Amino acid sequence: MQTKKKEINFSSAFYFFAFMFLVIYSFNSLSSILTPIAIAFFIWFLINGLSNEIKNIPYINKKILDFISTPLSVIIIIYSIFKIGTFVTSSMMELGSVVSQLDSKINIVIDKITTLTSIDIKEPLQRFFQEFNMANLLNRIFIAFSSIISNIMQIFLYVLFLLIDQRFFNMKLNALFKSQENRIKAKTILASISKGVRTYILITTTVSLATGFLTFLICQYFDLEGAVLWGFIAFILNFIPTIGTIIAILIPTVFALIQLTDFSAILSLFLALCAIQFVIGNVIYPKLMGNSLNISQFVVILSLIVWGAMWGTLGMFLAIPMMMILLIILSQFESTKNLAILISEDGNILRNNNKS
C-alpha cells in the first residue's frame, strides 16, 4: 500500500513539473505574441478601474456617468499612453549620446570615488560597473517601451475587442457553468482578480507618479541634467519592486558623480533619493495597499527573475500582477490552497478570498 502511495506521489510530482516546464517553455517561446495580449489585458483592467472611479463622481447624474465613463476612460488612457510614448521617444533621442558615452565616463566616477575616499578601490569598482552596465540597463528600459510603441495598434485592437466583449461576459459564464455553485465561484474569482489588479494598478500608478515627481524635484534642486528623465525613470521603475527602487536611486547618483563636483551635494542627493524611496515604499505604499498585496518577498524576487527571463524587461513589469492573479486563483480551490499559502506573505489566504 505504501509503495503504491509513493508511486502516486511520484507520478503527481512528475506531471506537475512536466506541466510547469511546458508552461514556462511556451511562455518563453511565444513571448512576442503573449506580451501584447498581457499588456492589453492590463490596459483593459486600468480602463475599467478608471471607469468605476468616474461612475462614483458626486453631484452628476448617474445615468450620464454610466454612459460617459468607459469612453472617457479610454480617451484618458490612450492620451496618457501617447504622451508617455512621445516623451520616451524624445528622451531617447535627447540622451542617446549621453547613454552611449556613459561607460567611458564610469572611469571618471571611479577616479573621483578613489580620490574622495583616499582608498584604492579602482579594481573592485571597475568589476562592479562591468557587471552592472548602466548603458545596457537604460537601453533595456528604452527597448521595452519601444516594443510597446511598435505594437501599440495591435494592443489597442485587443483592448477594443475586450471592451466590446465584456458586455457578454455574464452570458458566457452562465453558458459555461450550468451549476449555480460553480457559476458563483467563477464570478467570485473573476471579481477578485479584477478588483485586485485594478487596486494594484491604480495605487501603484499613483504612488509611482509621486515618486517620479519628487525624484524630479530633487534632481532639479541639485541642477542635475535630465531631471525630467530621472523622474520618469523613477516613476517607471517603481513598478518593479526592490530591484527597480535600487536602480532608480543608482542611475541619478552615478550621473551626479559624473556631473557634480561637490561631494556633499552628491551625498545629499543620494540620501534624499533614498529617503523618498524608503518613505513611499515602506510606509505610504503598504498603508494604501493594505491587504491587497499578500505575496511573499521571496516569491516577488523569484517572479521578477522568472518573468524577466521569459519576457525580458516587460516581464518584470508584469510579474507582480501575474503573481497576484495566480495567488487569487490558487486560493479558491481546496487542491491548490497549499500552494497559495506558500506564495502568500503570511499564510492568510482568506483575505484574498474576501477581497471582492
Side-chain angles (χ1 to χ4, degrees), residues 221-240:
Y221 177 79
F222 287 99
D223 295 320
L224 192 66
E225 285 178 21
V228 176
L229 184 71
W230 308 137
F232 177 73
I233 286 173
F235 160 70
I236 292 301
L237 290 175
N238 204 63
F239 286 89
I240 304 175

Side-chain angles (χ1 to χ4, degrees), residues 123-332:
E123 195 179 325
L125 278 176
Q126 279 178 334
R127 207 178 301 125
F128 169 77
F129 282 117
Q130 277 173 0
E131 292 291 325
F132 187 80
N133 193 306
M134 285 283 188
N136 284 346
L137 190 65
L138 285 173
N139 283 328
R140 279 181 192 173
I141 295 167
F142 291 142
I143 287 164
F145 279 90
S146 298
S147 68
I148 294 173
I149 292 161
S150 64
N151 291 317
I152 202 76
M153 288 311 296
Q154 186 184 356
I155 291 165
F156 282 148
L157 276 173
Y158 289 145
V159 173
L160 178 65
F161 286 117
L162 281 169
L163 289 169
I164 292 166
D165 277 358
Q166 75 180 22
R167 295 175 301 159
F168 308 109
F169 280 176
N170 276 334
M171 291 167 66
K172 287 179 181 179
L173 280 174
N174 292 338
L176 278 169
F177 302 99
K178 303 295 180 187
S179 162
Q180 180 75 8
E181 189 184 337
N182 291 339
R183 201 180 303 146
I184 290 166
K185 182 167 268 193
K187 286 181 179 178
T188 303
I189 293 168
L190 288 172
S192 296
I193 291 169
S194 180
K195 188 177 179 183
V197 173
R198 282 205 314 268
T199 303
Y200 172 79
I201 291 173
L202 287 170
I203 292 174
T204 307
T205 303
T206 306
V207 168
S208 298
L209 280 168
T211 307
F213 181 68
L214 290 171
T215 300
F216 157 73
L217 288 179
I218 287 166
C219 293
Q220 189 76 14
Y221 177 79
F222 287 99
D223 295 320
L224 192 66
E225 285 178 21
V228 176
L229 184 71
W230 308 137
F232 177 73
I233 286 173
F235 160 70
I236 292 301
L237 290 175
N238 204 63
F239 286 89
I240 304 175
T242 311
I243 296 168
T245 301
I246 294 164
I247 297 168
I249 294 168
L250 278 177
I251 292 175
T253 305
V254 169
F255 269 83
L257 284 164
I258 294 165
Q259 185 194 325
L260 306 178
T261 51
D262 185 4
F263 180 72
S264 61
I266 296 165
L267 184 63
S268 299
L269 180 137
F270 172 73
L271 291 173
L273 292 174
C274 286
I276 285 169
Q277 294 288 353
F278 179 81
V279 171
I280 290 177
N282 294 283
V283 180
I284 297 169
Y285 185 62
K287 208 162 240 184
L288 290 172
M289 284 300 291
N291 293 335
S292 297
L293 195 63
N294 181 26
I295 304 171
S296 160
Q297 287 302 305
F298 173 74
V299 173
V300 166
I301 299 298
L302 186 64
S303 63
L304 287 173
I305 294 164
V306 172
W307 285 102
M310 289 193 296
W311 287 0
T313 309
L314 279 176
M316 296 181 83
F317 285 103
L318 298 172
I320 305 307
M322 292 284 196
M323 291 310 297
M324 185 185 290
I325 289 168
L326 183 64
L327 177 60
I328 291 167
I329 293 168
L330 292 175
S331 65
Q332 298 293 326

Side-chain angles (χ1 to χ4, degrees), residues 34-146:
L34 293 174
T35 46
I37 295 169
I39 293 162
F41 266 101
F42 288 112
I43 291 171
W44 175 62
F45 276 123
L46 196 57
I47 288 167
N48 279 304
L50 187 57
S51 175
N52 287 340
E53 293 301 316
I54 291 168
K55 285 175 185 176
N56 294 326
I57 295 171
Y59 312 117
I60 298 175
N61 188 285
K62 198 169 185 322
K63 284 183 180 178
I64 295 169
L65 289 175
D66 287 344
F67 181 74
I68 66 162
S69 60
T70 302
L72 188 61
S73 300
V74 170
I75 292 164
I76 292 167
I77 299 295
I78 289 173
Y79 176 77
S80 303
I81 288 168
F82 272 114
K83 289 298 283 184
I84 290 167
T86 307
F87 177 77
V88 171
T89 307
S90 62
S91 298
M92 284 170 68
M93 293 170 71
E94 186 185 329
L95 280 178
S97 57
V98 178
V99 171
S100 62
Q101 296 167 18
L102 188 56
D103 286 334
S104 62
K105 290 183 179 180
I106 290 297
N107 290 323
I108 301 167
V109 176
I110 293 167
D111 290 335
K112 196 177 275 190
I113 292 170
T114 305
T115 305
L116 288 166
T117 57
S118 303
I119 305 166
D120 188 14
I121 49 173
K122 200 166 186 176
E123 195 179 325
L125 278 176
Q126 279 178 334
R127 207 178 301 125
F128 169 77
F129 282 117
Q130 277 173 0
E131 292 291 325
F132 187 80
N133 193 306
M134 285 283 188
N136 284 346
L137 190 65
L138 285 173
N139 283 328
R140 279 181 192 173
I141 295 167
F142 291 142
I143 287 164
F145 279 90
S146 298

